[in-house]
């Protein structure tokens, strides 16, 4: 079992056995030691125990953070004194003096080594304690000192958290990452040799962090809520990324149970492997095209190995998220042409960058928006950053000279918006033609249907676009007003909601009337129940993450299109999403019970 350490797992810390339930978002079973990433968005720091053997290292971590903070403060002092004058800058010398105070340093170091707590907690506790004592003396001068202490504590905590982030990138042993939250780019940057999987307190099933976990094949559980409160660095934890369970400090019987689960998982995978080469055809002989969603060019190989016949969605923003600069035209061209080459004549649908919301570049994360999912994301961001957009379109068009490429715009909400994006594309085509650069002049230009306004206006869009791809991850979120990244409302996130199904039905009808293809590339396209509904509504191309493709093919082969159509017809007649969802689940479970294996009744 990867990452399983000795069966007798004495973590040496007095943590109670914990059995937590989250949302399984990326299948796989791993057991390993935890690496906890502190959360700096909270006003307090949780008391976290450490093993005795770690105490020295933890004290050194504090010492390094203290020294780094002093260096930072001396630099701030030098800058401030030249810009604002010696008097105004004096405050930073007080900060340096406080951080050099022997009593304070000893208190923090002792707390770490005697009480066996993390450096973060010791810093927070000692500064807060000192602040409270000063505040109780009253007076303006004391209150200013308390503010300074809070400032210092925050600086030290930031340095400690930053150092931990850096450490996370260079782990030297197999580890399970535990955090309150992880951004998609943090997850994408994991060292795949060392990170066995992750479990986080926040997050929903279609958050981009969950999508990255699937892309990397990393077992992951999100929405565990209190996990970071129960785990300390070095604790043994076991996670089941399909069932959504996390066990902290498992005993021998629990480890045995995980070994059994791992065996069952392996058996399931090898049974599925047998159908990857079989046709994706329903029992009554209707062909369904099964293609893959990718975030990185390397995933193309996996798509093909797992039976996909092309790429239905390439999330190109991950090129931007995994780089510290905006990728150049050449860098982008290289990535796109690599996909074309690997696909060897099969279709590649390149979606223009969908940045914003939960996918921020390093530079942009400095300007937080109040409602980022309703903010400057996706095509809106591209239309406001035309040079960047044009660079990407040039790279896509150049790659289209090498093989079948389609281009797709995300988050389109109105016809003029689509026209605007297309006009820019036509401009870029003209430029390339003038320069004598080769590209596919007949390139098909489509759009994602992922907001209700686009679905409702599908008839008008269908006259202008070459294809639709329904993005249920966002369509569900925007139709039901349920944040896809929020575990607290994950129970309300229901693709089988009759309102969503009606929107999908209308899009498919509009596409049929106009004679253009329609596919679905949201995560729900691989859910057994919803995939059945999609087929019943007339969707004949399903695009999903590579690891979901064999299961999806098994589903397609286990149903008839007539059954799918009956199920789809019935779903829209329910008033309640719960009735609709349980009707679909029960019917599909009867038809293809294997599609629900290993989910511990979560469906
Ligand atoms: C979607 O919204 O369904 C989709 C496929 O796009 P993303 O998940 O990247 O937002
Ligand atoms: Mg989307």
């Amino acid at each position: 079992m990867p990452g399983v350490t000795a069966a007798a797992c004495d973590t040496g810390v007095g943590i109670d056995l914990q059995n937590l339930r989250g949302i399984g978002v990326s299948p796989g079973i791993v057991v390993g030691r935890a690496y906890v990433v502190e959360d700096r968005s909270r006003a307090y720091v949780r008391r976290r125990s450490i093993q005795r053997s770690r105490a020295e290292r933890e004290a050194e971590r504090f010492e390094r953070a203290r020294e780094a903070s002093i260096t930072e403060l001396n630099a701030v002092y030098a800058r401030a004194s030249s810009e604002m004058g010696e008097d105004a800058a004096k405050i930073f010398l007080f900060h340096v003096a406080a951080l050099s105070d022997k009593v304070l340093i000893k208190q923090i170091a002792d707390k770490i080594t005697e009480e066996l707590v993390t450096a973060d907690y010791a810093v927070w506790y000692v500064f807060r304690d000192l602040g409270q004592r000063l505040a109780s003396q009253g007076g303006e001068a004391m209150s200013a000192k308390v503010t300074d202490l809070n400032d210092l504590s925050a600086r030290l905590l930031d340095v400690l958290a930053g150092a931990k982030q850096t450490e996370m990138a260079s782990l030297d042993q197999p580890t399970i990452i535990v955090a309150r939250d992880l951004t998609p780019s943090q997850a994408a940057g994991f060292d795949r040799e060392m990170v066995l999987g992750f479990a986080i307190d926040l997050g929903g099933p279609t958050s981009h962090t969950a999508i990255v976990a699937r892309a990397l094949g990393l077992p992951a559980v999100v929405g565990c809520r209190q996990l970071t409160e129960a785990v300390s660095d070095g604790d043994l934890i076991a996670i089941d990324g399909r069932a959504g369970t996390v066990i902290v400090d498992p005993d021998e019987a629990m480890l045995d149970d995980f070994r059994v689960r791992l065996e069952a998982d392996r058996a399931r995978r090898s049974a599925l492997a047998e159908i990857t080469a079989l046709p994706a055809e329903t029992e009554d002989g209707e062909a369904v095209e099964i293609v893959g969603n990718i975030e990185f060019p390397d995933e193309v190989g996996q798509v093909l190995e797992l039976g996909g016949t092309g790429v239905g969605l390439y999330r190109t923003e991950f090129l931007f998220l995994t780089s510290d600069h905006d990728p150049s035209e050449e860098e982008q061209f290289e990535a796109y042409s690599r996909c074309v080459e690997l696909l060897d004549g099969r279709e590649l649908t390149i979606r223009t960058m969908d940045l914003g919301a939960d996918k921020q570049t390093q530079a942009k994360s400095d300007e937080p928006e109040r409602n980022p999912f309703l903010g400057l994301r996706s095509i809106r961001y591209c239309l406001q950053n035309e040079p960047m957009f044009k660079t990407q379109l040039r790279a896509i068009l150049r790659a289209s000279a090498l093989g079948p490429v389609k281009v797709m715009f995300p988050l389109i909400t109105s016809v003029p918006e689509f026209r605007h994006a297309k006009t820019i594309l036509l401009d870029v085509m003209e430029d390339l033609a003038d320069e004598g650069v080769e590209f596919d002049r007949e390139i098909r230009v489509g759009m994602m249907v992922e907001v209700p306004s686009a679905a409702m206006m599908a008839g008008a869009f269908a006259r202008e676009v070459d294809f639709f791809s329904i993005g249920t991850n966002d369509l569900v979120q925007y139709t039901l007003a349920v944040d896809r990244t929020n575990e607290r409302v994950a129970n309300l996130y229901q693709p089988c909601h009759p309102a969503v199904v009606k929107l999908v039905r209308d899009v498919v009808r509009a596409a049929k009337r106009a004679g253009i293809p329609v596919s679905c590339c949201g995560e729900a396209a691989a859910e057994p129940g919803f995939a059945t509904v999609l087929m019943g509504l007339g969707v004949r191309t399903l695009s999903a993450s590579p690891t979901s493709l064999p299961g999806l093919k098994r589903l397609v082969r286990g149903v008839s299109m007539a059954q799918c159509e009956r199920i789809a017809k019935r779903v829209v007649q329910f008033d309640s999403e719960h009735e609709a969802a349980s009707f679909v689940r029960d019917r599909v479970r009867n038809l293809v019970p294997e599609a629900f294996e290993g989910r511990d009744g979560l469906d």
Side-chain angles (χ1 to χ4, degrees):
M1 182 184 285
V4 170
T5 47
C9 307
D10 177 17
T11 61
V13 286
I15 286 183
D16 287 347
L17 209 65
Q18 299 271 346
N19 213 329
L20 288 138
R21 194 75 194 240
I23 306 165
V25 293
S26 180
I29 289 166
V30 277
V31 181
R33 298 284 168 188
Y35 183 85
V36 184
V37 183
E38 286 295 342
D39 173 30
R40 285 293 301 120
S41 65
R42 291 185 167 212
Y44 68 94
V45 174
R46 183 148 295 279
R47 182 187 176 98
R48 230 183 265 294
S49 305
I50 54 167
Q51 296 169 47
R52 186 164 292 286
S53 59
R54 240 196 100 87
E56 272 313 303
R57 256 198 293 158
E58 201 61 13
E60 278 165 24
R61 206 161 77 78
F62 159 62
E63 189 46 32
R64 278 198 304 275
R66 192 182 71 81
E67 283 164 8
S69 302
I70 289 178
T71 310
E72 255 180 36
L73 281 163
N74 279 325
V76 176
Y77 166 73
R79 210 172 41 242
S81 60
S82 77
E83 283 170 11
M84 311 186 303
E86 190 68 23
D87 253 12
K90 244 181 10 213
I91 183 63
F92 298 109
L93 289 183
F94 164 75
H95 283 197
V96 171
L99 280 187
S100 312
D101 184 288
K102 289 209 167 66
V103 178
L104 191 82
I105 298 171
K106 184 167 179 339
Q107 266 180 13
I108 295 173
D110 286 354
K111 195 153 186 79
I112 296 171
T113 50
E114 287 166 17
E115 292 185 30
L116 298 180
V117 292
T118 56
D120 311 65
Y121 178 73
V123 164
W124 176 80
Y125 182 91
V126 169
F127 271 92
R128 189 200 52 163
D129 189 50
L130 184 59
Q132 281 175 347
R133 275 187 283 129
L134 290 179
S136 70
Q137 295 173 25
E140 226 173 87
M142 285 306 158
S143 133
K145 278 212 164 94
V146 173
T147 309
D148 283 334
L149 287 174
N150 288 343
D151 218 24
L152 268 179
S153 165
R155 180 181 294 277
L156 269 173
L157 289 172
D158 272 341
V159 175
L160 282 168
K164 216 138 186 225
Q165 300 275 358
T166 317
E167 237 178 69
M168 188 165 66
S170 53
L171 296 165
D172 56 7
Q173 55 180 341
T175 300
I176 293 178
I177 303 289
V178 171
R180 185 162 152 75
D181 199 9
L182 287 171
T183 62
S185 37
Q186 277 177 318
F190 284 157
D191 174 350
R192 288 156 83 174
E193 295 283 299
M194 290 300 163
V195 176
L196 299 172
F198 66 81
I200 57 178
D201 289 349
L202 307 184
T206 61
S207 62
H208 286 100
T209 303
I211 289 168
V212 171
R214 286 192 280 279
L216 299 181
L218 276 183
V221 182
V222 304
C224 302
R225 295 183 184 219
Q226 273 127 15
L227 181 64
T228 51
E229 294 177 16
V231 183
S232 294
D233 271 347
D235 286 355
L236 191 74
I237 62 169
I239 68 177
D240 180 339
R242 183 184 300 275
T245 41
V246 180
I247 298 178
V248 183
D249 200 8
D251 60 20
E252 189 52 29
M254 287 167 163
L255 284 173
D256 277 345
D257 173 53
F258 262 71
R259 287 190 185 98
V260 171
R261 289 192 202 200
L262 184 67
E263 273 320 304
D265 203 48
R266 283 205 183 116
R268 208 170 18 242
R269 283 176 204 236
S270 65
L272 277 176
E274 286 169 18
I275 68 165
T276 51
L278 300 176
E281 223 174 70
T282 58
E283 283 181 339
D284 46 359
E286 282 257 14
V288 175
E289 201 184 355
I290 295 184
V291 289
N293 292 348
I294 61 165
E295 287 71 39
F296 311 104
D298 284 352
E299 286 178 276
V300 171
Q302 216 191 348
V303 169
L304 301 179
E305 262 166 44
L306 295 173
T309 53
V311 167
L313 167 65
Y314 176 11
R315 289 185 168 97
T316 56
E317 56 276 10
F318 279 86
L319 271 177
F320 294 71
L321 294 172
T322 50
S323 168
D324 58 3
H325 61 276
D326 289 344
S328 65
E329 180 183 324
E330 244 6 81
E331 285 169 318
Q332 294 188 54
F333 172 68
E334 206 175 294
Y336 308 149
S337 52
R338 179 159 160 69
C339 294
V340 174
E341 190 188 319
L342 290 168
L343 280 163
D344 195 18
R346 300 173 190 89
E347 263 181 7
L348 169 68
T349 305
I350 304 183
R351 179 177 75 181
T352 57
M353 65 193 127
D354 185 8
L355 288 167
D358 63 339
K359 289 178 289 192
Q360 301 289 354
T361 57
Q362 299 306 325
K364 213 176 159 273
S365 60
D366 286 345
E367 304 160 24
E369 292 176 293
R370 266 196 291 269
N371 285 306
F373 273 106
L374 303 182
L376 187 61
R377 70 170 285 208
S378 208
I379 195 69
R380 302 167 181 182
Y381 180 74
C382 290
L383 296 179
Q384 286 194 25
N385 290 277
E386 208 176 298
M388 192 175 166
F389 189 36
K390 281 187 160 176
T391 301
Q392 175 168 48
L393 294 173
R394 283 179 67 92
I396 295 174
L397 285 166
R398 282 174 56 201
S400 75
L402 310 173
V405 168
K406 301 199 274 185
V407 62
M408 171 160 83
F409 300 130
L411 209 83
I412 295 288
T413 54
S414 71
V415 172
E417 191 171 43
F418 176 79
R419 288 185 187 144
H420 186 176
K422 187 155 176 194
T423 306
I424 296 176
L425 177 75
L426 294 174
D427 280 353
V428 174
M429 285 175 152
E430 242 175 69
D431 291 348
L432 290 178
D434 288 349
E435 293 165 31
V437 176
E438 279 194 38
F439 63 94
D440 175 7
R441 285 160 198 260
E442 304 296 315
I443 191 167
R444 280 153 299 163
V445 186
M447 64 179 265
M448 302 264 313
V449 180
E450 47 186 349
V451 287
S453 63
M456 288 165 159
M457 299 292 288
F461 280 114
R463 289 191 285 275
E464 313 218 3
V465 306
D466 295 323
F467 63 92
F468 286 141
S469 186
I470 301 170
T472 47
N473 300 340
D474 279 314
L475 187 60
V476 173
Q477 137 165 291
Y478 292 126
T479 306
L480 306 182
V482 177
D483 179 347
R484 60 192 269 192
T485 66
N486 186 341
E487 71 293 341
R488 294 184 205 197
V489 288
N491 61 324
L492 301 177
Y493 190 95
Q494 184 46 264
C496 279
H497 192 300
V500 176
V501 178
K502 280 183 188 175
L503 287 176
V504 173
R505 179 195 62 190
D506 294 349
V507 175
V508 177
R509 280 184 184 161
K512 276 201 172 147
R513 269 198 297 271
I516 59 167
V518 56
S519 61
C520 179
C521 63
E523 300 304 296
E527 272 178 28
F530 194 73
T532 308
V533 172
L534 286 171
M535 290 189 279
L537 292 173
V539 177
R540 291 292 175 271
T541 302
L542 301 173
S543 191
S545 55
T547 48
S548 322
L549 301 184
L552 189 51
K553 190 182 281 182
R554 178 177 56 192
L555 175 86
V556 169
R557 294 176 56 82
V559 292
S560 72
M561 208 48 93
Q563 287 164 336
C564 297
E565 280 164 8
R566 277 198 294 276
I567 293 171
K569 217 176 203 160
R570 182 78 184 92
V571 186
V572 288
Q573 291 163 1
F574 288 103
D575 295 333
S576 121
E577 69 272 26
H578 300 300
E579 284 174 81
S582 60
F583 164 78
V584 172
R585 186 183 52 227
D586 293 348
R587 291 301 308 274
V588 180
R589 202 193 282 272
N590 267 338
L591 296 171
V592 194
E594 318 83 80
F596 294 85
E597 275 173 5
R599 294 187 172 221
D600 282 7
L602 282 178
D603 306 279

